[in-house]
Each structure stands twice: as C-alpha cells, then as structure tokens.
Amino acid sequence: MPTETCAASLVDVVCQGSPYQMGLIQGQGLRDKIRASRGALAELEAFRLEQPRWLPFAAFRHLAERRAARLMAQSLAREHPEMHQRLTGIAAGSGVRLGPLYLLNALESFLSSVEGRTVRPGLGACSALAVRGSRSASGEPMIARNFDYLPLVQPFYVLRDSRPRGRNRSLDFTVAPLAGAVDGLNEQGLAITYNYAFTVDTPSARTPITMAIAEAMGRCSTVAEGAELIASRARWGGGILMLADAGGDIASLELSNSRSHLRRPEPGQDALFHTNAFCSEPMRAVQAPTDAVFTSRAPLALRGRRVMESSEMRDRRLARLMERGEPLDPDQLARMMSDHGDEGVASGTTLCMHSDYWHTTASLQYFPKSRRMRVAFAPTCNAQYRELSLELGT
C-alpha cells in the first residue's frame, strides 16, 4: 500500500503547556470543526431518536447538553481534573459553551446503553490486531486497526500533537471537540487504540474512556503501566483497548463501567486481536446478551439485527486469517485488515466495513519501537497511508 512520509504537515494542531493552555490552543486551532460538530448532531440518527416528537430539535439539544453537563461536570473535575481544565480551555478557545462540549465528549457513552433487551448503539465498531516477535516481519511490535464509525463524523477527525508540560509527548488520533484521545502513540513507545463495547453494568463515574487514554499517553511508558492506570480510573462506557510498547509487550484491555480484564497472548504466541466482543468470561457477564437485537430505538439500518453479530463474525474471520502463522509486514497487515470475506463483498460484518450504518472511516497502524504511525482517513481497502513519526520534526 502506498505510503507518504511527512512530518508536521499531517498534524492538525500542536497543543502544549498546561492542561488549560493545551485546550485553549486546540479550541483556537480547530474552532470551525468544533462548532460544525455541534451542528452535525441534527443529522445523527441515533441522537435524534432520543428526541420526543413534540419537542423542537434546538430545545432537545439544549436539554441534552444540560443533562450531559449535570452528569459529567462534578465527576470530571473529581476524576480527571486535568481533562476538565483542558475541556475548559477548548471552550474558551473555540467560543463554544461547556454544555455542548460535555455532550460531544460523552456522546458514545450517552448513546451506548442496554436497558432490558433494548439497545441503543454507540457510534462505532472497529477491529484491531497486534503482532510482535515471530509474527512481525521486522520483529517490531505493530498494531493495525480499523476505525469503523459514521461517515457523518469523519470530517471532524484530527491528528493532535500533544506536548503536556512535564509529561510525555504523544500523537493522538481524536475528534475535534474531544479533550481525550481515541488512539495514541507517545514518545516512550506506548501505543493504545480504542474499540467500543456493548456493556450492561452501571457506570461508576461519568468520565469517558478517551480521557483515561489521553492521561495514560502523558504519564505511562509501558503496557503494564498504561493498563493499570486506565483500569484504575472510574469511567462511563465499555471498550476494548489494544496496547503495545517499545519493549514488545502487547495486551488487550477489556473495560466495562465497573470491571476490567487484561488479556495477553497465550504462551508461545506473538499475536492478539479483538473487535467489539469481550473474550474473557468475567467480562462477558456484563456484555449485551448474544441474542439481544437492535430494536425500534436503534437507527433504521440496524433494527432487527443481533447486536453482537458483526463482532462475532469479524473475530472468526481474524482467527481464520491468522491461522497461517507467517510473519507480517505493514502492507500485509493492511491487506488483512482490508478483507471483504471469502466472497469479496464488503458488508457490516467484514473487517473492512461498508454498511448502511457503520463504515471503516479511518485506517491506522502503530509502530511503538520506532515511534511511527501510518494513517489514512479512508476504508482500508482504499487506504493511501501517510506516515508520521515522533522522530520527524519538533
């Protein structure tokens, strides 16, 4: 797959200084995208389904913003004071009130819940694969991940160069209004990617997982440190994180609102993968039931489908593709993640996802030892990667 090497030209914003200063710079540099993202809520079907028919959209959005602020403000200030300061800076820099920013930062958690057998889906799916040692052609640990999301949100994707005072510098893949990070790679050689999960337990706090990822980028150097920090934070929502570090450790961290489990490769194995389904039994106990279906409270394209169907099928496909056991280079990883199944027909259950709802909207690879990443804001089957390194530029 073609790759263009570049340095600062790929970064949307460089944020440095105190948490507030970093937020202020992000708000100023991404002002137009942040303001436009609030307007895009009018086109987000999963959000509009929560709107009572009798209530005008502007009033509904205002009430949702007030509710998000009520749920998040105290919890965020208590659990993640630096993220709260960063979010305050984003508000000041962008000219967007804190209420809308609370909602935009909590949207996945806000919309992804299970009540009885009714599921309202979050905004994304995703698949991730990590290799090292005998499964890596260079021996270097690598993570390949497909970010399956709504095309509506794709214009708001950004790459952020975070330089917190006294902490690790990192390259973050995120969305313009977010104080946290969806993925990240820091100067110590720690990489973390985030897949969503469907969980049924009660939140222990009202702070999104993206904020814990950003904190780990700033504070941690290894998989063990990053997993311990993230698992220790009270959170709102479920997820499955892939972690890799410069020393060759790889792990999958399964998270729900109230519990966590760290999974490493089996002895003698040098690969791990996951989609959006938990692998460990303790975590499956708080996952949406295997027979749960999307109901009339879900977007039209998902109604009547099993919630876990796509995750289960993508997990099986990855297991089959990995059976050969050969070492993989970055291009081979990209070809694997661009898979459209035996029949070559892309769908909502293939690794490279093209469906009536979720699509693979970003393709990313991380190389912790050499502090590099490759990124394309496109389906993996059409990815024209550009490469960015913490070693290239200042």
Side-chain angles (χ1 to χ4, degrees):
M1 303 243 174
T3 303
E4 174 190 348
T5 301
C6 57
S9 61
L10 187 54
V11 171
D12 294 281
V13 64
V14 178
C15 301
Q16 55 190 340
S18 69
Y20 180 83
Q21 289 169 334
M22 292 177 68
L24 184 67
I25 293 168
Q26 180 172 334
Q28 292 170 338
L30 303 177
R31 180 182 291 113
D32 291 345
K33 286 191 175 187
I34 293 169
R35 291 180 173 179
S37 65
R38 181 173 184 255
L41 290 174
E43 302 174 51
L44 182 59
E45 185 181 3
F47 182 66
R48 294 297 295 261
L49 284 169
E50 301 301 307
Q51 177 186 348
R53 295 191 179 192
W54 53 267
L55 188 65
F57 175 74
F60 165 67
R61 183 176 61 185
H62 178 69
L63 289 174
E65 291 166 352
R66 289 182 60 185
R67 181 187 175 197
R70 186 173 66 251
L71 290 172
M72 284 188 67
Q74 291 187 357
S75 181
L76 184 57
R78 180 179 64 251
E79 301 292 338
H80 289 281
E82 293 184 358
M83 287 292 113
H84 187 258
Q85 293 169 35
R86 189 183 292 194
L87 195 62
T88 302
I90 292 173
S94 65
V96 174
R97 293 179 294 106
L98 267 172
L101 289 175
Y102 281 127
L103 177 60
L104 291 166
N105 274 258
L107 206 54
E108 288 91 354
S109 305
F110 203 55
L111 294 177
S112 183
S113 66
V114 177
E115 300 171 3
R117 302 183 65 81
T118 301
V119 177
R120 292 174 291 166
L123 303 183
C126 307
S127 302
L129 167 64
V131 297
R132 65 179 180 191
S134 65
R135 297 306 306 270
S136 169
S138 67
E140 178 179 8
M142 296 182 284
I143 298 177
R145 78 88 114 252
N146 290 358
F147 189 59
D148 305 328
Y149 218 64
L150 304 180
L152 170 68
V153 185
Q154 192 176 37
F156 309 115
Y157 293 172
V158 295
L159 289 173
R160 181 178 65 199
D161 185 342
S162 291
R163 306 181 186 190
R165 182 180 300 156
R167 302 279 171 78
N168 298 323
R169 179 187 173 196
S170 65
L171 296 174
D172 308 326
F173 166 55
T174 190
V175 184
L178 299 192
V182 178
D183 294 358
L185 169 69
N186 73 16
E187 63 182 329
Q188 301 297 327
L190 175 63
I192 303 175
T193 70
Y194 176 20
N195 290 14
Y196 303 109
F198 295 102
T199 55
V200 300
D201 51 347
T202 302
S204 55
R206 299 293 181 173
T207 53
I209 292 172
T210 52
M211 294 186 178
I213 293 173
E215 184 182 8
M217 286 290 99
R219 294 177 180 269
C220 301
S221 302
T222 66
V223 166
E225 292 174 355
E228 181 179 8
L229 184 147
I230 293 169
S232 72
R233 295 296 185 260
R235 57 193 165 269
W236 185 12
I240 312 177
L241 312 189
M242 190 67 81
L243 299 92
D245 64 31
D249 196 6
I250 58 175
S252 174
L253 178 61
E254 300 182 346
L255 300 166
S256 74
N257 293 291
S258 63
R259 62 180 70 179
S260 65
H261 178 83
L262 187 65
R263 181 171 64 97
R264 283 192 164 90
E266 296 294 329
Q269 300 297 310
D270 283 326
L272 269 180
F273 59 83
H274 57 232
T275 59
N276 308 98
F278 293 139
C279 293
S280 63
E281 287 302 323
M283 299 303 298
R284 286 175 178 168
V286 292
Q287 181 173 261
T290 57
D291 59 351
V293 299
F294 290 115
T295 71
S296 59
R297 294 181 66 189
L300 183 62
L302 297 177
R303 294 175 190 176
R305 299 184 183 180
R306 273 199 317 115
V307 175
M308 303 308 300
E309 179 184 18
S310 174
S311 300
E312 293 167 359
M313 292 184 70
R314 285 179 285 124
D315 274 326
R316 287 197 294 268
R317 184 64 177 175
L318 274 169
R320 181 177 171 186
L321 293 173
M322 292 295 289
E323 282 177 351
R324 293 174 57 183
E326 77 276 20
L328 299 168
D329 65 25
D331 288 343
Q332 289 170 313
L333 281 174
R335 284 193 290 272
M336 185 176 293
M337 300 300 281
S338 66
D339 180 75
H340 291 162
D342 282 334
E343 298 180 359
V345 179
S347 71
T349 61
T350 54
L351 292 174
C352 185
M353 186 177 290
H354 304 250
S355 75
D356 294 335
Y357 190 68
W358 290 307
H359 298 254
T360 299
T361 53
S363 308
L364 303 106
Q365 296 182 339
Y366 294 90
F367 309 88
K369 187 174 182 179
S370 55
R371 280 56 163 185
R372 295 179 297 119
M373 63 184 292
R374 298 205 306 170
V375 58
F377 291 163
T380 318
C381 60
N382 293 321
Q384 302 290 315
Y385 286 100
R386 292 185 289 176
E387 186 170 299
L388 186 63
S389 171
L390 283 167
E391 304 290 323
L392 290 177
T394 59

